[in-house]
Amino acid sequence: QVWAFLAPKLIGAGRGAIGELGVGKVAEGFRLDEVEIERVGEDLLYTATVGARGSAGTAAEVPCSPA
C-alpha cells in the first residue's frame, strides 16, 4: 500500500519517497489501484494499492523525466 501526503507548502528537494523502480517511460510505470483521498487538516492524504506494471495507450513513448 502507498500513502502520500500533499501539503500546501514547498520545502525544496527533501528526501526521496521511493527508490529506483527502473521506469524509463510513463507506460512502464506501476498502476495505483483503489485510490482514496482524504483531507487531513490542510493536507491531502492519498492511499492506494500498487497494481500491475505498464499500461496501454499513447503514453508509451513519453519519457518520465526530461532528457
Side-chain angles (χ1 to χ4, degrees), residues 5-31:
F5 281 93
L6 179 62
K9 290 191 181 205
L10 297 175
I11 58 173
R15 297 183 65 143
I18 57 175
E20 177 58 43
L21 296 176
V23 174
K25 297 178 182 163
V26 172
E28 297 171 351
F30 291 85
R31 267 301 293 153

Side-chain angles (χ1 to χ4, degrees), residues 1-4 18 32-36 46-50:
Q1 188 173 41
V2 175
W3 291 38
I18 57 175
L32 293 179
D33 298 324
E34 302 175 34
V35 177
E36 295 184 17
Y46 289 78
T47 57
T49 57
V50 179

